[in-house]
Amino acid sequence: MKWDIENKMLIPFMILVILPIIILGIVSYWNGYQLLLNNKTKNFEDNLDDHMVFINMVDKESNGDDLAKERVIDYFKELNKNGLVVFENNKLILNNLNRDSSFVERILSEAIRTKTNAYSDEDLLFVYRSFDKWKWTIGYGLNKDIFTDELIEIQKYTLLLAIIFLVFSMQATILISHNISKPMKILADMCYKIGKGNLNEKININREDEIGILAEAFNNMVRKLNKNTRKLLDMKKYNEDILRNISIGIITTDKKGKVLSINQAGENILEYSTNSSEEKEKVHNTLMKQLNETILKEESKEAVIVFNRAVDGNKQYLDITTSLLRTDNKETNGAICSFSDITKRKRIENNIERINRLTSVGELAAGLAHEIRNPLAGMKMSVQVLRGRLCNEDDESNLKLFNSTIYEIDRLNNLITELLDFAKPHSPKYEITNILEILNMSLDLTKKDMREKDIKTNVYIETSNLSVFVDKAQIEQVFINIIKNAVRASKQQGKLNIKLNIVSREKEKLLCISFEDNGEGIKQENLEKIFNPFFTTDPQGTGLGLSVVHKLVIENNGEIEAKSILGKGTKFEIKFPINGGDIDE
């Protein structure tokens, strides 16, 4: 059992109060006992002196007569003194002690052995005198147990007063202990509440002594603590708000690399960037590896990691910076990692780079096209004149040679036309258009190509909002190019799935048109190059089709992505803002 401060004070105080009273009572009782014992002994001695005088007188009057002893015995019997005993030659001849003869004789033997006239043991007080002439021993014996009753009777008022004083002292001790411990208990209770976080309590002790001063000082301390705690909580909340609302992920660790905290932005980036616990652990391990290197080498590190999201196959870019956490004394107590998703920035940079590259190529292509087209026209006309002069119906070999040359010249002219279309496309004419109408028209125009390979087309419409603000002719050209590429990449009896649905990105909604074939697919290392001018894996291709597609989509305020798995197929996703968004014409 755990005692409180009041009981711990009360017990010693009670012992200090009760112990002197008990000792005083015991001493008083012992003194009374000894006084009563001495008084009884004195009375016995006085009686024995009287008896000895009487015996001497009888002895003188009897002149040696034997009847003198009987006279004395009769006299003692008439006196009937309690405790009176008479021995002759140590043999008991009179016994008023109410004890058996053997006991009385043994007491006399003990008394004679101790050579004292007053013998006392635990039970009996025995005082005696000897009359040698008659060989008598006369004594008084008294049982000590009768002392207790007499002593209590004598000291009953003293004992009563001691009990009353003891009760009063105990009550006073309880009261004093309570008054002394009460402020301490109040302080202890207040400290407990403060430990639980309750800083609005106040100690109410109206005293002018040291305890009152202590209570006032404690209240001042609690007020200051409450004020500073509120400031600290406000600062903590402010810092938490910053960490929660900042778009950069923050991870902190101790000196051993153990993660202490990660903010909400960091959790969101990891959740968005990964689609499984394995991927999340892989990215997390990359972050922790850089953190541990920073702690080990005691230097800041910057890195950009790139990985493919399993959920959609898109590349994800994370910009990671790690540095040491140092105190004001330059002591290292951990490390901090800041990381952000720079995928959008990278895409914009890639698009800008691609656009710059396309612009340069376009300018070059436009110049070359004008320089090449004029000689080609002259060459074609000359070959046609020569064909008319040198070829007749009987000479088919020359005719075939001239026709082949004219065909190649026409093919070069078509390539020049594509270059000019790429370099200087027509200015777009934006209008609100139903994207399904453009898609159906594109499918009609490519129906012949799909019929030759028996391509099955499935169109899935998952939204009713199909209006976009685009150039109808340009988007039709985009769709036709993508469908033709899908047909060329597909085998006989292939499949082309086209899906229209709405996707959300931040606060923006986009109409997504996806074209997914089950053709041969594209290698991952070539996937980022397919929109580059003149890049193609088709020996008969020019490498300008997808470049034109990319340029037209960008000009119509859209975006295009390609995803592919080698041997399984390719998927193109084209996204336009609903109703086109705000387009500057």
Side-chain angles (χ1 to χ4, degrees):
M1 181 181 70
K2 188 177 181 180
W3 287 2
D4 58 11
I5 186 66
E6 184 175 351
N7 288 328
K8 289 180 179 180
M9 293 176 63
L10 181 61
I11 299 301
F13 282 175
M14 281 195 169
I15 292 174
L16 291 175
V17 171
I18 295 173
L19 189 60
I21 296 176
I22 292 176
I23 294 174
L24 183 62
I26 292 173
V27 171
S28 177
Y29 181 84
W30 176 253
N31 289 334
Y33 177 83
Q34 292 297 324
L35 184 62
L36 183 60
L37 183 62
N38 292 333
N39 188 39
K40 289 292 185 182
T41 303
K42 183 67 170 59
N43 289 336
F44 288 159
E45 289 177 347
D46 291 341
N47 289 334
L48 288 174
D49 289 339
D50 292 339
H51 295 333
M52 295 307 293
V53 171
F54 176 71
I55 292 173
N56 283 324
M57 182 184 68
V58 172
D59 179 60
K60 289 178 180 180
E61 292 178 354
S62 64
N63 294 320
D65 189 358
D66 292 336
L67 294 177
K69 294 181 180 180
E70 293 179 3
R71 179 182 173 190
V72 172
I73 293 298
D74 292 338
Y75 172 74
F76 286 159
K77 288 181 178 179
E78 289 178 2
L79 286 176
N80 196 21
K81 290 281 188 177
N82 289 329
L84 178 62
V85 292
V86 179
F87 297 88
E88 186 175 2
N89 290 326
N90 296 333
K91 296 295 183 181
L92 187 63
I93 58 175
L94 178 64
N95 183 9
N96 290 336
L97 187 57
N98 297 324
R99 292 291 186 98
D100 58 79
S101 299
S102 59
F103 175 79
V104 177
E105 290 175 355
R106 181 176 62 80
I107 290 298
L108 178 61
S109 299
E110 288 291 332
I112 293 172
R113 185 179 61 81
T114 57
K115 299 180 179 179
T116 58
N117 293 327
Y119 172 78
S120 176
D121 64 6
E122 295 179 358
D123 297 326
L124 187 69
L125 171 64
F126 184 71
V127 181
Y128 68 94
R129 294 287 188 272
S130 297
F131 189 65
D132 296 334
K133 187 176 181 180
W134 289 3
K135 297 183 181 180
W136 273 21
T137 301
I138 304 172
Y140 275 96
L142 179 65
N143 293 323
K144 289 185 177 180
D145 55 2
I146 67 171
F147 283 8
T148 304
D149 296 335
E150 292 185 19
L151 190 59
I152 291 175
E153 182 66 23
I154 294 171
Q155 294 190 348
K156 61 182 179 180
Y157 296 107
T158 304
L159 293 174
L160 180 61
L161 184 61
I163 293 172
I164 293 173
F165 182 73
L166 179 62
V167 172
F168 175 78
S169 299
M170 290 177 64
Q171 292 296 328
T173 302
I174 293 172
L175 182 61
I176 294 170
S177 176
H178 176 72
N179 288 333
I180 293 176
S181 63
K182 184 178 179 180
M184 297 182 184
K185 293 173 71 174
I186 293 174
L187 285 171
D189 184 59
M190 178 62 68
C191 291
Y192 178 79
K193 291 180 179 178
I194 291 174
K196 291 293 184 180
N198 187 356
L199 300 176
N200 297 318
E201 296 290 336
K202 180 181 178 182
I203 299 177
N204 295 317
I205 300 178
N206 297 321
R207 297 174 61 161
E208 296 181 357
D209 56 5
E210 287 79 0
I211 293 178
I213 296 173
L214 177 62
E216 184 62 27
F218 192 88
N219 288 333
N220 291 333
M221 182 192 70
V222 172
R223 281 194 293 269
K224 291 180 180 179
L225 183 62
N226 192 13
K227 181 179 178 180
N228 293 334
T229 300
R230 284 197 299 267
K231 289 182 179 179
L232 184 62
L233 290 176
D234 291 341
M235 185 178 297
K236 180 183 177 184
K237 186 176 182 299
Y238 180 73
N239 291 333
E240 288 176 349
D241 290 340
I242 293 176
L243 289 176
R244 183 170 55 253
N245 293 292
I246 196 172
S247 60
I248 299 175
I250 302 292
I251 297 177
T252 58
T253 68
D254 59 13
K255 291 188 291 187
K256 296 182 179 179
K258 181 180 178 181
V259 175
L260 299 178
S261 66
I262 177 170
N263 67 339
Q264 187 61 46
E267 291 284 0
N268 294 339
I269 291 174
L270 292 178
E271 289 295 334
Y272 173 75
S273 301
T274 58
N275 190 42
S276 64
S277 58
E278 291 80 6
E279 290 180 353
K280 186 173 182 179
E281 184 177 359
K282 183 178 179 181
V283 176
H284 184 267
N285 290 339
T286 303
L287 298 175
M288 294 308 301
K289 181 180 178 182
Q290 186 168 330
L291 272 168
N292 290 328
E293 288 179 358
T294 296
I295 295 173
L296 184 63
K297 297 180 180 179
E298 295 187 352
E299 60 182 14
S300 300
K301 292 196 66 176
E302 294 184 4
V304 176
I305 63 171
V306 185
F307 59 93
N308 294 319
R309 295 180 67 218
V311 64
D312 53 17
N314 291 334
K315 286 188 178 297
Q316 199 78 17
Y317 297 85
L318 290 183
D319 185 9
I320 307 171
T321 301
T322 55
S323 58
L324 295 173
L325 282 174
R326 297 184 184 274
T327 63
D328 294 337
N329 298 327
K330 304 300 181 181
E331 293 181 359
T332 301
N333 58 3
I336 183 171
C337 171
S338 61
F339 59 100
S340 59
D341 186 353
I342 59 171
T343 303
K344 292 182 181 179
R345 190 181 78 191
K346 279 291 184 181
R347 288 176 182 171
I348 293 172
E349 290 175 356
N350 292 337
N351 287 336
I352 292 174
E353 182 183 355
R354 186 177 289 118
I355 290 171
N356 291 335
R357 190 164 58 246
L358 292 177
T359 301
S360 300
V361 172
E363 292 174 354
L364 176 63
L368 288 174
H370 285 294
E371 295 297 327
I372 295 173
R373 175 169 272 184
N374 292 332
L376 282 178
M379 291 171 60
K380 182 177 180 180
M381 186 171 61
S382 298
V383 171
Q384 287 174 339
V385 171
L386 289 173
R387 184 181 64 179
R389 290 179 181 179
L390 300 177
C391 295
N392 52 47
E393 295 180 357
D394 297 332
D395 190 4
E396 293 183 357
S397 60
N398 290 332
L399 180 63
K400 185 176 181 181
L401 183 60
F402 281 118
N403 288 338
S404 175
T405 303
I406 292 172
Y407 172 78
E408 292 299 329
I409 291 173
D410 288 338
R411 197 163 75 87
L412 283 173
N413 191 54
N414 290 333
L415 176 59
I416 298 302
T417 302
E418 287 186 9
L419 280 172
L420 287 173
D421 289 340
F422 171 73
K424 294 181 180 180
H426 301 293
S427 299
K429 296 180 181 179
Y430 300 115
E431 59 181 325
I432 295 178
T433 307
N434 190 311
I435 201 71
L436 187 58
E437 295 178 2
I438 303 176
L439 178 63
N440 289 333
M441 192 177 300
S442 303
L443 290 172
D444 288 339
L445 293 174
T446 56
K447 188 180 298 183
K448 180 182 177 182
D449 296 330
M450 290 189 288
R451 190 182 297 120
E452 290 178 356
K453 280 195 172 183
D454 193 17
I455 303 296
K456 182 180 180 181
T457 304
N458 301 312
V459 179
Y460 302 97
I461 303 173
E462 299 180 355
T463 178
S464 59
N465 193 350
L466 300 171
S467 296
V468 290
F469 195 59
V470 295
D471 184 300
K472 186 175 181 180
Q474 289 183 347
I475 301 306
E476 182 180 312
Q477 184 180 352
V478 169
F479 288 172
I480 290 173
N481 269 307
I482 291 177
I483 293 171
K484 284 186 175 182
N485 280 345
V487 171
R488 281 195 293 268
S490 299
K491 299 178 182 178
Q492 287 294 124
Q493 297 181 341
K495 184 164 50 175
L496 176 63
N497 294 327
I498 304 173
K499 184 168 69 172
L500 292 82
N501 66 319
I502 299 294
V503 296
S504 297
R505 183 178 61 194
E506 296 178 355
K507 297 181 180 179
E508 186 180 23
K509 288 189 176 181
L510 306 172
L511 176 62
C512 178
I513 309 99
S514 64
F515 299 83
E516 185 174 7
D517 63 59
N518 61 347
E520 59 188 15
I522 304 171
K523 294 180 180 180
Q524 288 296 319
E525 58 267 24
N526 295 333
L527 199 58
E528 291 186 353
K529 304 175 184 178
I530 58 175
F531 296 118
N532 293 340
F534 306 111
F535 177 81
T536 180
T537 56
D538 185 2
Q540 301 298 321
T542 63
L544 291 173
L546 287 178
S547 299
V548 173
V549 165
H550 182 270
K551 190 170 185 178
L552 294 178
V553 170
I554 296 299
E555 287 184 354
N556 283 270
N557 200 30
E559 56 186 61
I560 182 170
E561 284 185 281
K563 306 170 186 176
S564 184
I565 299 176
L566 192 64
K568 292 187 177 181
T570 302
K571 180 179 181 180
F572 283 90
E573 287 186 349
I574 303 172
K575 299 173 184 176
F576 295 106
I578 297 298
N579 294 328
D582 298 323
I583 299 179
D584 297 329
E585 297 192 47

